[in-house]
Amino acid sequence: MSDDFDAVLAAVGPRLRELRRRRGATLTALSETTGIPISTLSRLESGHRKPGLELLLPLARAYQVPVDELIGAPADLDPRIHPQPFTHNGMTVVPLTRKPGGLQAFKHILPAGMTDGREPDPRSHEGYHWLYVLRGRLRVILGDKDFILTEGEVAEFDTHLPHWFGNADEHPVEFLSILGPQGERVHIKASYRPDNPHP
């Protein structure tokens, strides 16, 4: 039992680090939001500080997630996801997967008017990205390419290449994305069914 408990505690730090990075937050910003010193947050994420409720409760409030999500408590048999949307650079992001790490799915909503005075700022990072436009027109800058994805179009690329997304016009845009932080690509499995199933 003690080994299981230690394993749960050991997994909290990497989970918190991944959650913070996924939200695009810095340790400084998180410290200001939670009142937890930067050094404590750093030690917590690196596993050098054991997580207690006095740390987990303000972090859960800051991330707007239940405490059990921070500690990786076993989920019940209900498979439904209860997304907690957050805003990043004016864009609403809705997480569609339950746990940090591995492939992550998101719905992004760019409101109308996001083109006003917004200069593209391409960034690169670890991973592999897949995009699918649900509604509107999405401007994508990928390296030295500048193009527009329309409803139903799909794109995928290595995120080491500098990239940026934005509204292609004054209308809102909604798109889905799947990000593999370690560079996992999205694979679709299909089985072959011959006309005659009994050779």
Side-chain angles (χ1 to χ4, degrees):
M1 181 70 176
S2 176
D3 289 345
D4 291 344
F5 183 68
D6 289 343
V8 168
L9 288 182
V12 172
R15 184 176 291 108
L16 289 173
R17 183 186 296 112
E18 177 64 29
L19 183 58
R20 177 175 60 80
R21 288 177 177 172
R22 202 174 74 197
R23 299 292 178 93
T26 62
L27 285 173
T28 302
L30 189 58
S31 176
E32 291 172 357
T33 302
T34 61
I36 300 171
I38 294 173
S39 60
T40 301
L41 291 171
S42 179
R43 290 175 62 229
L44 187 61
E45 288 187 359
S46 66
H48 293 104
R49 170 76 184 259
K50 286 191 176 179
L53 280 178
E54 77 282 359
L55 298 175
L56 292 176
L57 286 174
L59 286 168
R61 279 195 296 270
Y63 290 129
Q64 298 182 332
V65 298
V67 172
D68 60 355
E69 185 172 324
L70 297 182
I71 60 175
D76 58 20
L77 295 179
D78 185 352
R80 292 173 294 183
I81 305 292
H82 302 285
Q84 297 290 328
F86 61 93
T87 303
H88 180 66
N89 293 334
M91 171 172 53
T92 300
V93 182
V94 185
L96 301 177
T97 41
R98 197 188 300 267
K99 295 181 180 179
L103 291 173
Q104 297 293 309
F106 302 92
K107 179 179 180 181
H108 304 258
I109 304 167
L110 293 167
M114 286 284 286
T115 52
D116 299 341
R118 189 177 183 213
E119 288 298 319
D121 183 22
R123 303 286 179 93
S124 61
H125 54 84
E126 290 285 331
Y128 198 83
H129 219 140
W130 176 91
L131 306 175
Y132 176 80
V133 178
L134 296 167
R135 184 167 67 99
R137 301 170 74 238
L138 180 69
R139 181 184 177 196
V140 179
I141 294 178
L142 188 58
D144 58 358
K145 306 288 184 188
D146 189 339
F147 56 94
I148 294 173
L149 293 177
T150 58
E151 293 180 18
E153 286 195 303
V154 180
E156 61 176 334
F157 55 90
D158 188 316
T159 56
H160 288 99
L161 196 59
H163 56 281
W164 177 90
F165 316 127
N167 304 60
D169 51 37
E170 69 277 9
H171 300 293
V173 185
E174 294 183 19
F175 64 99
L176 298 177
S177 74
I178 298 177
L179 175 65
Q182 284 77 45
E184 297 98 329
R185 295 177 183 239
V186 179
H187 296 283
I188 298 175
K189 295 183 179 178
S191 58
Y192 171 67
R193 292 187 178 181
D195 292 335
N196 180 5
H198 304 288

